[in-house]
Structure formats: structure tokens, C-alpha cells
Amino acid sequence: MTAIPVLIDCDPGHDDAIALLLALASPELEVLGVTTVAGNQTLEKTTANAIRVLEFVERGDVPVAAGADRPLLRDLFVAAHVHGETGLDGPKLPPPRAAPVSEHAVDFLASRLMGAASPVTLVPLGPLTNIALLLARYPDAVASVERVVLMGGSIGVGNVTPAAEFNIWADPEAAARVLDSGLDVTMVGLDVTHRALLMSDDAERLRAAGRVGRMVAELYDFFHRYHERTYGFGGSPIHDALAVAQVIRPELLHTEHRHIAIECGSELTRGRTVVDLWKRTGIEPNAHAAVEVDAEAFIRLLLERLSSFG
Ligand code: BDR
Ligand code: CA
């Protein structure tokens, strides 16, 4: 089996951290590098968190490159109310030992893409600022992108506003550029992530599965409190891990090839992903929108892989 080369752009973030662990524990993927963006917390914190997670599982060999410290046009708004002051509140992770590489994330992505032996899958798990900048600065790198599997958006309701999901709302202009890029984009949105919850029983199994499982259970404890308070959920979505899981096992999600437009004008509906589910516009599809999820199989995969660290 040849592993799928991936570059993960993220803003850890509880679910980003779990997504990174899932990717590292999966032989189907080869993680070429991790890039960070401001989103759930400031760039400084999301970068430190990415390195802390990699070092916790002794994968400091995976390069981390720091990218954009704010959205293209909008003010930075961090999700401390969801992820805490550190961006990764809950477990006691040691501070990072290493520093990120000296290249900016956008240059790093371009060099890894153009140097890759085969096309690479981009997995953006935060605001799409770095990816939009990559498209603008290195249009030739696009030829080396196999596809983009992003966590963000929603056909239905939002989570940061009634209309919009956080990653797209945070930098709607960047999201619009990615959706209009002509790349093969898969949108893993709230429609599926909110239907594939990690439950407290699952967290208890992880807690008993060694130090990495225990750390993930502690992430869950903090993250779950927010979802219980806000939505009355009995568990917690692990949004970003579902996007990684789709690369490992595409059959976990059912997608529809549709046109997705991003609302950049209105403040009321800023960042809404307007998905033409019923093909009302006649506009050619530009993305695969996830509409159904095999939640049981996803949680099984997640538990199996996270427990494998021992
Ligand atoms: C997305 O926003 C962030 O808070 C999470 O990390 C995830 O990427 C969910 O809306
Ligand atoms: Ca994220």
C-alpha cells in the first residue's frame, strides 16, 4: 500500500490536535508537514500547540511551519470560549522544545508540494488564509495538489453565528478563493461532524488506553463541556478528525458534487456556505459537500488508531 501524502494546515485546537494524532497513527497517510494559522487561538499559540502535540507522541521529526497571523481582510477573532486561553486547555502538555521551521507556511507548502514525488492532499482544518495565500503566491503549485479535504462550512445551521461555521466565517474571502480555485475540494461541514459525536464512554476507553489515550480523554473533557453547555450534546464532535478520516477512508462520508458559494458581503450571513443542494442555480459544481456520515465506523476508526499509540 502506498501512503497518501498529506499536508495538514491547522489551528490546534482540541479537534485539530486529535486530527493530527489520527493522521500520525494511520499508515494510510504520510504526513509531509504541518502548517499553522491563527484561528482557534493566536498564531503563536496554535503553532506552539501543534509542536506540543507532535512532541508528545515523539514525532518532532514532522516539520511545523507557522503561517498567517490574521485573516486576509477581517479582524482576528479567536475561539477562546471553545478551546480556552491556551487553545488546548485541559491536559497538562509540556511547552514546546523545538521551534517551527524558519520558512513561512505558504513558502513551506509550495516547496513541499512542488518537491513531492506524487500529488499531495491538502487538509485544511482552520481558517483558509494560508491556502488562499498559497494559491495567490504560487499558482503553479496547484498542479501538485491531488485534492483539498477541508473541515468547515455547513449546508444547514452554523456554529459561530446561526448562518456560518467558524473556519469559513473567520476568513470568508480566503474560503471563497479556495472554492473558486478549480481544485478538487471536499467540504466536511457541521452537517456531518455534528452527527458523529465522541461520547463519554468512548473517552473512558481512551483514558484507559495509555498516555496518549489519557491525553485525548482530557482534551475531550474540556471540549465536551462547551458542547454540552451550548448544544446540549451528550458527546462532542471531533470536527477536524472527520476530515482526516475522509482521506483515510473516503467511504465514511457520502458527498454530493455541488456548487458552493461563500457569503462575503452581508454581516448577518458572513461566511455562510451557500450549497446548491437542489441544483437551483445551474452553476457548475465546484466541491463535494459531505451530507451523510457513518458515525459508528468513524468513531471505531478513531478509537482504534488513538489507542494504538499505547
Ligand atoms: C471548527 O472550528 C474550530 O473551532 C475547530 O477546530 C474546527 O476546525 C469547527 O467549527
Ligand atoms: Ca480547527
Side-chain angles (χ1 to χ4, degrees):
M1 176 184 68
T2 322
I4 300 166
V6 295
L7 284 161
I8 301 178
D9 184 68
C10 59
D11 61 338
H14 294 67
D15 53 329
D16 302 77
I18 298 172
L20 286 175
L21 294 172
L22 173 62
L24 295 171
S26 296
E28 296 88 346
L29 307 184
E30 183 194 0
V31 182
L32 301 180
V34 172
T35 53
T36 55
V37 64
N40 286 329
Q41 259 299 350
T42 61
L43 180 70
E44 197 186 344
K45 292 181 184 177
T46 59
T47 305
N49 289 342
I51 298 172
R52 290 161 85 205
V53 170
L54 295 175
E55 288 180 346
F56 189 76
V57 292
E58 282 155 25
R59 290 303 308 272
D61 58 298
V62 177
V64 175
D69 62 2
R70 60 178 174 81
L72 294 183
L73 302 179
R74 312 286 174 149
D75 291 336
L76 176 63
F77 173 90
V78 299
H81 60 297
V82 185
H83 299 274
E85 272 314 308
T86 63
L88 215 48
D89 277 13
K92 300 259 173 299
L93 288 175
R97 288 192 302 274
V101 298
S102 57
E103 272 175 296
H104 187 280
V106 173
D107 302 321
F108 175 87
L109 286 169
S111 68
R112 295 293 152 141
L113 281 170
M114 297 199 270
S118 57
V120 176
T121 298
L122 291 181
V123 190
L125 306 176
L128 288 156
T129 323
N130 286 340
I131 311 302
L133 290 171
L134 171 76
L135 298 173
R137 194 159 149 70
Y138 295 100
D140 293 347
V142 166
S144 307
V145 176
E146 174 75 17
R147 63 190 191 113
V148 179
V149 181
L150 66 90
M151 191 283 134
S154 175
I155 302 171
V157 294
N159 59 358
V160 64
T161 72
E165 180 281 332
F166 177 78
N167 289 340
I168 308 298
W169 176 89
D171 197 343
E173 286 76 18
R177 289 180 185 202
V178 173
L179 265 305
D180 290 343
S181 66
L183 286 169
D184 180 341
V185 175
T186 297
M187 178 182 105
V188 180
L190 301 178
D191 316 282
V192 283
T193 66
H194 275 189
R195 283 194 267 133
L197 307 183
L198 187 78
M199 305 303 284
S200 298
D201 286 357
D202 303 320
E204 290 320 309
R205 283 178 56 195
L206 286 170
R207 210 184 304 278
R211 61 189 281 283
V212 178
R214 194 159 56 245
M215 190 271 270
V216 173
E218 287 166 6
L219 286 171
Y220 169 87
D221 294 342
F222 186 91
F223 205 42
H224 173 229
R225 280 200 289 278
Y226 169 78
H227 289 98
E228 191 171 43
R229 213 168 48 234
T230 310
Y231 308 104
F233 285 175
S236 180
I238 311 293
H239 309 279
D240 295 339
L242 189 54
V244 169
Q246 204 274 348
V247 185
I248 301 169
R249 292 210 187 138
E251 70 277 10
L252 290 176
L253 295 178
H254 178 70
T255 61
E256 297 286 359
H257 197 207
R258 292 293 184 271
H259 186 264
I260 304 178
I262 309 291
E263 174 59 59
C264 295
S266 147
E267 253 325 290
L268 178 66
T269 53
R270 161 183 167 179
R272 177 153 189 84
T273 43
V274 181
V275 181
D276 187 8
L277 194 59
W278 300 114
K279 301 187 176 171
R280 307 312 301 153
T281 65
I283 307 174
E284 279 302 302
N286 59 355
H288 303 272
V291 292
E292 299 287 345
V293 55
D294 185 342
E296 210 184 300
F298 164 60
I299 297 297
R300 211 180 315 123
L301 175 77
L302 195 59
L303 295 180
E304 171 201 307
R305 299 294 162 93
L306 295 174
S307 305
S308 72
F309 284 102

